[in-house]
Amino acid sequence: DERASPRGAPPSRRPTSPPSVSADGASGPKKTVHPDGRWEENFPDGRRVVHYANGTVKETAPKGSCLVTFGNGDIKRTLADGRVEYYYAEVDTWHTSYPAGLEVYHFPSGQTEAHYGDGSKEILFADGVARRVQPNGEQESDVDASLLSAHIRAPRPRPVGV
């Protein structure tokens, strides 16, 4: 069933039962039910969707991207470029991990933070104030928001498919 989550969060997708397997072998997805309770759909375009008994749904695209929707409303999206976007439904927060080690957090308050591998941080507050924090955490300096990295100025991820 599709249920809307609070604060505009993405709906959770919980299958109630596997679809029936078509007897005519039409060009739709090939559906397989496994003994452990999971069932999967393999589409002609190469997409694969696996539905687990606990409500988790994993959708894999032919070019390597993957979307996992968990029963608790969390979402994990792995993109072909190596980025991983994780949505924590309970706290309405997005966390994006980049291959080079950058971690970007988008909070429901509108605050965005970028955490770099060297320990430095950039923070863009909802009111537009921008701050850089040095790796030792002692030196903070307010800066013009236009001087922050493009990653922190990027819009909050959206709950769309792979």
Side-chain angles (χ1 to χ4, degrees):
D1 76 58
E2 295 266 337
R3 293 173 290 157
S5 299
R7 295 186 298 268
S12 63
R13 291 189 265 176
R14 239 177 233 240
T16 54
S17 63
S20 59
V21 177
S22 62
D24 63 354
S27 64
K30 178 184 176 210
K31 300 168 185 171
T32 307
V33 178
H34 298 277
D36 62 3
R38 69 185 157 91
W39 53 277
E40 65 183 89
E41 302 169 282
N42 290 286
F43 292 83
D45 65 2
R47 286 181 301 126
R48 179 174 174 234
V49 180
V50 180
H51 303 263
Y52 295 90
N54 67 0
T56 298
V57 178
K58 180 178 183 180
E59 184 176 344
T60 306
K63 295 189 179 183
S65 61
C66 180
L67 175 70
V68 181
T69 306
F70 298 95
N72 66 358
D74 286 8
I75 296 172
K76 180 181 181 184
R77 183 170 41 212
T78 304
L79 304 169
D81 66 6
R83 278 181 294 154
V84 177
E85 298 175 334
Y86 196 99
Y87 176 73
Y88 298 91
E90 187 173 333
V91 292
D92 190 23
T93 298
W94 280 96
H95 172 201
T96 303
S97 299
Y98 291 85
L102 173 64
E103 308 284 331
V104 178
Y105 301 87
H106 295 270
F107 299 102
S109 65
Q111 178 174 320
T112 304
E113 295 185 10
H115 297 211
Y116 294 91
D118 68 357
S120 63
K121 297 178 187 177
E122 291 180 329
I123 304 168
L124 181 58
F125 295 97
D127 62 4
V129 171
R131 181 166 296 151
R132 283 198 174 129
V133 180
Q134 298 305 315
N136 63 11
E138 294 175 8
Q139 295 179 333
E140 293 184 7
S141 58
D142 289 350
V143 297
D144 186 291
S146 67
L147 299 175
L148 298 178
S149 71
H151 298 294
I152 196 168
R153 292 183 284 119
R156 179 180 170 101
R158 306 225 5 110
V160 294
V162 292

